[in-house]
Amino acid sequence: MKSMKKNSQWMVQVSLMAAVVVVLANTPLGMIQLPVIKATTVHIPVILGALLLGPAAGAILGGTFGLCSVISNTLTPTLLSFAFSPFLSSTPIGSLKALWISVGCRVLMGAAAGWLWMLLQKCRFNPWIALPITGFISSMANTFLVMGSIYFLLAPEYAQAKNVALSAVKGLVMGTIAASGIPEAIAATVLVTGLGKALLAALHRNRV
């Protein structure tokens, strides 16, 4: 009985975090305007959910993030939406690649964030150190997984969409990682540290 109650509470908490992911993914709140580019914040509740509720929750929330990405890129496609929507591909293998990039990478990122937090906890890192480490590495993992997958799986299509030579794709991908991934990771470091400390304290009080 106690186990069922605990499982129900976990499901409710995951559902609430998933709702935050959906809200951020579908409103301007999911983007931070920087001088040159916009940095996404949608992965931040995924990371927070993973460290609060475990790797399984992180995977579910990452999947929610990915599905929101599929829907957004399908309904309002942009130049590179073919990499994130299986419905915009003309081949089955292309659809599978897009599904991996949009959903699979985010599921893996969410689970990895939970595993990283568990490792840091096992190593007895202070939360003020573990939280920024988890935020930064998890955010960079999201960028590297997505952009790395685009490079290895869709380099010719990426080159065609950007109207550049195939040899230029690596430089474009690395440029995106530097211009977008690093600012996103810094934002995640700050927000995961601040919000994570408050949420961990609240979770601890509820368990007492």
Side-chain angles (χ1 to χ4, degrees):
M1 187 71 179
K2 189 175 181 180
S3 178
M4 288 180 62
K5 183 178 179 181
K6 186 176 180 180
N7 288 338
S8 297
Q9 186 180 32
W10 182 85
M11 291 175 64
V12 169
Q13 291 169 335
V14 172
S15 298
L16 289 173
M17 294 299 291
V20 174
V21 171
V22 172
V23 168
L24 286 178
N26 290 280
T27 66
L29 294 173
M31 305 296 287
I32 295 177
Q33 182 64 58
L34 298 175
V36 180
I37 49 90
K38 288 184 178 180
T40 181
T41 61
V42 183
H43 61 306
I44 292 173
V46 177
I47 299 170
L48 287 170
L51 66 88
L52 289 169
L53 304 170
I60 292 170
L61 295 170
T64 303
F65 175 18
L67 289 174
C68 288
S69 178
V70 169
I71 293 169
S72 174
N73 281 281
T74 302
L75 297 180
T76 55
T78 60
L79 187 65
L80 298 177
S81 286
F82 67 88
F84 298 94
S85 172
F87 303 105
L88 299 180
S89 175
S90 58
T91 64
I93 189 67
S95 296
L96 289 175
K97 290 177 181 179
L99 200 58
W100 162 254
I101 293 169
S102 58
V103 179
C105 289
R106 274 61 182 269
V107 169
L108 183 56
M109 179 273 293
W115 290 327
L116 175 60
W117 175 254
M118 289 172 63
L119 175 63
L120 294 175
Q121 291 292 98
K122 188 172 289 187
C123 294
R124 299 186 181 280
F125 274 71
N126 184 287
W128 286 111
I129 298 174
L131 285 167
I133 290 175
T134 302
F136 185 86
I137 293 179
S138 299
S139 181
M140 287 304 297
N142 177 61
T143 302
F144 273 107
L145 281 168
V146 171
M147 295 309 300
S149 294
I150 289 175
Y151 175 69
F152 286 109
L153 299 177
L154 295 172
E157 293 88 343
Y158 189 87
Q160 185 177 5
K162 287 285 191 177
N163 196 26
V164 298
L166 185 60
S167 58
V169 172
K170 184 177 180 180
L172 289 174
V173 168
M174 294 305 295
T176 300
I177 290 173
S180 180
I182 293 176
E184 287 176 4
I186 292 172
T189 300
V190 173
L191 293 172
V192 168
T193 301
L195 294 173
K197 197 70 173 70
L199 290 171
L200 284 170
L203 193 64
H204 177 72
R205 285 196 298 270
N206 289 336
R207 287 174 176 174
V208 174

